[in-house]
Amino acid sequence: MSEQGPTVFNGRYELLRHIARGGMADVYLARDELLDREVALKVLFPEFANDPSFVERFRREAQAAANLNHPNIVGIYDWGQERGTYYIVMEHVSGRSMSDVLRSTGPLSPDRAAEIASDVADGLSVAHAAGLVHRDVKLGNILVSDGGDVKVADFGIATALHGGTDAGLTQHGSVMGTATYFSPEQAQGKAVDGRSDLYSLGVVLYEMLAGVPPFQAETPVAVAYKHVQEKPRGLRERGVNVAQSLEAITMKLLAKSPANRYPAADDLRNDLRRYLAGAHKIPGKAAAGAAAAGGASAAAATQAPRPSTPPSALVDATTAQPVTAAAQPAMQPGAVPVGMVADPAAAAMAAQYPGGYYYEEAPRRGGGVWRTAGLLSALAILVVILGYLFVEFLGALGGGDDNQVDDGDPAIQLVDVPSVLGNDVQDAQATLLEANLAISIEYQTNGEVPGDQVFGQDPPPGEKVEPGGTVTLQVSSGTQTVVPNVIGEDVAAATAALQQQGYSVLQTPATSPLDPGTVIDQAPGAGVALASGEEVEIVVSSGPEVVAVPDIEGLTVIASVDLLRNAGLTVSTEQLEEASEEIEEGKVIRTEPSANALVPNGSQVSIMVSTGFPQVVVPQLDGLFADTAITTLRNAGLDPIPVFEPVPVGSPQVGRVIAQSPAAFEEVDQDSPITITIGEATVETTTTTTTTTTTTTTTTVP
């Protein structure tokens, strides 16, 4: 490592390597030195750290998720502010996101997709019970650990179901999330609740089964429009080999109206569990009722009449389809034909979602005798179903056609896994793709098998699997060495480690919040087999991007703000003001940091605005001796202008200020002239009068 040592947040979390880059933050693998465990550290991009709305989203993610403790939710441990930005410390999940899984393997098997959806529903159930809606359920936010555990991540735009909102982050009318997984109400900016998350989970389940989401378009706006207006194409219509019940579950989740979806995540999980337990065909209570009616027609014929049922409310129990008036047999008032049920709500559901998996009959009212008869009929049907399932179970243990899977649907033709042992990896992939199988490749060092040659496969050759099943290939990397992990290392140490393995090193600088000289990425990545002599590129942090603060002295505030923002800087909302002898009022005096200083891109700059020339309060000068008044004015930063006015000899006003302009206590600009009038004795006038008097006196002497 460098002499500066590793990058540590809060004196506790040591960054090890870069993991991922999201829409507003980088994620690093870090070590909690206090508890000696690996954690994931999410660091907000510096350009967002000064935006209150982004900081609020970041803080809300921490607080919302920190209160959720569940094995299917990524745990949040800590959060704080450091290095001019914000960070969150969370549970490190060693594995991959579902988006990465689908990119590498293609569609999942129906059972695995149902298992993942069930685990996600379990986590969402806890969040919804705590009053939180995730609002961004998508493949990228579903993580699968190396041990197969499923966890929901990123409650960054979760919103409180109860209580007020702030910062406009979760108010009605704001659209957040990812367009591919929008619920119709999200796309329209309407209020959301837990059923919106279930719609998004329905999109996820659809994509895991079909390999593509239900709606695709060139722009996010077009995708959002389809969520609102278009009906999703059925999975079987797309050619996906999926059980009737699992398709019905998926289509129920994708109902346009929240009222037609599952009311809660627990209800969804219960149906997924029933599917995973083997309920691959929709049992249909209506169908069971029809069978009971057919087996006890005499009793049904004598049933007490019920109120008249409107034709629009009838549902065919065998197909779960609404029955049109033209197709209805003639019947007596109040009668309901065998094989049909009277339930307007069920009719509406059946019309929108054929074979709706969560179909319920309306409760029937009648006498105790007929209720008892109905219970006995239902019990008889249950015995028949249990017997059927028992026979199927025995068949699965020992009999039947090995090339068919009887899950209640039409038989699925299994695929023989071809042998690709000893083949080149590209030829092996082509062979497996032709057999309609997915591929997962694991490279392993093997000194006995040439590079890129398959030396192991799972399942083994000849085993029968469902179409689309995954075959894992063990491929030799020959005697090639494996690229070490150098992310988080000092550039000198990283270069030495790579050169020791015989690799040439290419350094590429890049700005980042990490200390200069820290390796922030590498290609090929750690663990990749690479022959000695090949080149490894390392991306080295040059520290945050720096820019020079523009010189905006003398510019208007508006022009200054535009210039600073164009330079990649932000402007403090607190405007500072002071008087200036040189800069006129309303224009910029200086900046902090000062002009031409180098600062990180996105740094905040304060501007000092002139209030005009300094103002001085004119002192009270009346009665002061002239020299005292002049000194007082000069000390106050004013320019004294003395003028004289005659006063009688011996007057107390001689040599004193008898008037001033401007008047005392007025505010004037610094260095303004202040006129002071000083009393002056009139010596010449007094002498002339005395001479005249003396002359007159002399004339009167005899």
Side-chain angles (χ1 to χ4, degrees):
M1 300 297 290
S2 68
E3 295 180 358
Q4 297 176 342
T7 301
V8 179
F9 278 68
N10 195 28
R12 174 176 176 179
Y13 306 107
E14 177 188 348
L15 299 192
L16 301 178
R17 61 183 174 86
H18 186 267
I19 297 177
R21 184 176 179 90
M24 68 179 192
D26 277 311
V27 183
Y28 298 88
L29 176 65
R31 175 167 295 281
D32 182 345
E33 296 177 339
L34 181 61
L35 300 179
D36 191 26
R37 65 180 177 185
E38 287 189 343
V39 295
L41 192 79
K42 178 180 285 189
V43 181
L44 187 66
F45 294 154
E47 56 264 35
F48 297 143
N50 294 318
D51 188 323
S53 64
F54 277 98
V55 173
E56 175 64 12
R57 283 182 60 187
F58 208 63
R59 179 191 66 80
R60 179 162 292 172
E61 175 181 2
Q63 292 186 345
N67 294 324
L68 302 178
N69 184 15
H70 190 272
N72 296 121
I73 296 177
V74 174
I76 299 295
Y77 302 141
D78 193 8
W79 88 292
Q81 180 180 7
E82 190 164 325
R83 300 171 184 267
T85 187
Y86 294 80
Y87 66 89
I88 286 179
V89 183
M90 65 186 71
E91 174 187 4
H92 171 55
V93 180
S94 178
R96 296 190 293 172
S97 69
M98 279 308 304
S99 57
D100 291 335
V101 172
L102 256 65
R103 274 196 298 268
S104 60
T105 66
L108 304 183
S109 68
D111 284 1
R112 182 53 179 155
E115 289 171 355
I116 292 171
S118 177
D119 288 343
V120 173
D122 201 14
L124 291 176
S125 175
V126 172
H128 295 167
L132 296 173
V133 181
H134 190 289
R135 295 189 68 164
D136 198 19
V137 177
K138 59 183 179 181
L139 289 173
N141 284 337
I142 299 173
L143 308 180
V144 181
S145 71
D146 294 335
D149 296 328
V150 177
K151 292 180 179 288
V152 182
D154 199 353
F155 275 76
I157 55 177
T159 176
L161 283 172
H162 308 290
T165 59
D166 51 74
L169 294 174
T170 59
Q171 296 173 355
H172 297 177
S174 63
V175 179
M176 293 181 175
T178 306
T180 301
Y181 305 91
F182 270 168
S183 65
E185 54 270 27
Q186 269 182 292
Q188 298 174 85
K190 296 181 179 179
V192 300
D193 57 21
R195 294 171 297 180
S196 297
D197 283 348
L198 296 185
Y199 182 95
S200 300
L201 180 54
V203 178
V204 168
L205 180 57
Y206 191 105
E207 190 171 357
M208 289 192 296
L209 293 168
V212 293
F215 301 115
Q216 294 176 291
E218 294 182 358
T219 65
V221 174
V223 174
Y225 176 85
K226 290 188 175 186
H227 280 294
V228 176
Q229 298 291 339
E230 295 186 10
K231 181 178 179 181
R233 188 179 175 191
L235 289 166
R236 292 188 173 198
E237 184 182 347
R238 282 185 176 271
V240 180
N241 194 353
V242 62
Q244 182 185 20
S245 57
L246 187 56
E247 181 181 40
I249 291 172
T250 307
M251 303 309 287
K252 183 177 180 69
L253 288 170
L254 295 177
K256 301 297 182 190
S257 171
N260 291 334
R261 301 174 203 149
Y262 287 95
D266 284 338
D267 298 313
L268 165 63
R269 192 160 188 255
N270 289 337
D271 265 3
L272 289 169
R273 284 174 170 175
R274 280 193 281 271
Y275 161 77
L276 291 169
H280 289 180
K281 250 190 176 180
I282 300 176
K285 292 185 179 180
S297 58
T302 60
Q303 183 175 352
R306 293 182 291 166
S308 177
T309 303
S312 61
L314 293 179
V315 179
D316 189 331
T318 60
T319 64
Q321 297 287 344
V323 181
T324 62
Q328 294 169 17
M331 63 187 80
Q332 305 223 344
V336 177
V338 174
M340 299 181 186
V341 293
D343 188 351
M349 179 67 72
Q352 186 174 5
Y353 299 98
Y357 193 41
Y358 224 59
Y359 169 79
E360 295 282 357
E361 280 191 51
R364 298 194 177 199
R365 299 172 182 259
V369 174
W370 302 116
R371 184 182 297 109
T372 302
L375 290 174
L376 291 176
S377 299
L379 180 61
I381 294 170
L382 178 61
V383 170
V384 172
I385 293 174
L386 290 175
Y388 171 77
L389 293 176
F390 181 71
V391 172
E392 290 297 307
F393 174 73
L394 293 179
L397 289 178
D401 187 352
D402 287 341
N403 202 37
Q404 292 186 351
V405 174
D406 187 359
D407 60 1
D409 288 329
I412 300 174
Q413 295 297 320
L414 298 181
V415 176
D416 290 325
V417 177
S419 174
V420 292
L421 296 174
N423 291 4
D424 179 80
V425 63
Q426 293 185 349
D427 295 338
Q429 290 184 77
T431 301
L432 293 173
L433 289 174
E434 287 180 3
N436 195 19
L437 296 171
I439 305 132
S440 175
I441 298 175
E442 297 176 354
Y443 280 95
Q444 299 178 13
T445 302
N446 191 321
E448 299 179 358
V449 178
D452 292 331
Q453 182 174 313
V454 178
F455 65 87
Q457 68 178 80
D458 181 31
E463 185 168 318
K464 297 181 184 297
V465 298
E466 291 187 10
T470 300
V471 177
T472 301
L473 303 179
Q474 288 82 43
V475 180
S476 171
S477 60
T479 57
Q480 295 173 328
T481 55
V482 174
V483 177
N485 176 34
V486 295
I487 295 178
E489 299 284 337
D490 175 76
V491 60
T495 301
L498 292 169
Q499 290 177 344
Q500 187 177 2
Q501 298 282 6
Y503 300 126
S504 61
V505 180
L506 172 64
Q507 296 183 19
T508 302
T511 58
S512 85
L514 298 183
D515 293 335
T518 304
V519 178
I520 59 176
D521 202 358
Q522 67 180 83
V528 174
L530 190 66
S532 177
E534 294 293 331
E535 182 180 80
V536 176
E537 179 185 9
I538 57 175
V539 181
V540 182
S541 172
S542 57
E545 181 182 355
V546 295
V547 296
V549 178
D551 185 356
I552 57 175
E553 180 180 341
L555 299 181
T556 64
V557 173
I558 294 176
S560 299
V561 170
D562 288 342
L563 192 59
L564 289 169
R565 288 179 174 171
N566 289 338
L569 303 170
T570 60
V571 182
S572 172
T573 56
E574 181 182 5
Q575 182 171 297
L576 307 177
E577 296 180 332
E578 72 177 22
S580 172
E581 298 180 11
E582 300 176 353
I583 306 298
E584 64 181 279
E585 182 180 359
K587 294 190 177 179
V588 175
I589 302 172
R590 63 180 181 276
T591 59
E592 180 60 41
S594 60
N596 301 317
L598 296 178
V599 297
N601 186 32
S603 295
Q604 189 177 78
V605 176
S606 299
I607 58 177
M608 183 69 70
V609 180
S610 173
T611 57
F613 295 107
Q615 295 288 296
V616 178
V617 176
V618 178
Q620 171 66 266
L621 304 172
D622 288 350
L624 296 180
F625 284 107
D627 55 349
T628 302
I630 291 171
T631 301
T632 300
L633 289 172
R634 286 174 176 169
N635 289 340
L638 299 171
D639 183 17
I641 307 294
V643 297
F644 297 92
E645 183 175 309
V647 296
V649 174
S651 169
Q653 294 179 329
V654 174
R656 295 177 183 271
V657 176
I658 60 176
Q660 67 182 80
S661 178
F665 309 117
E666 286 190 17
E667 289 189 354
V668 297
D669 291 340
Q670 188 174 334
D671 295 329
S672 293
I674 306 296
T675 302
I676 55 175
T677 303
I678 302 170
E680 183 180 34
T682 55
V683 177
E684 291 182 3
T685 303
T686 302
T687 302
T688 301
T689 303
T690 301
T691 302
T692 302
T693 302
T694 301
T695 301
T696 303
T697 300
T698 302
T699 303
T700 60
V701 174

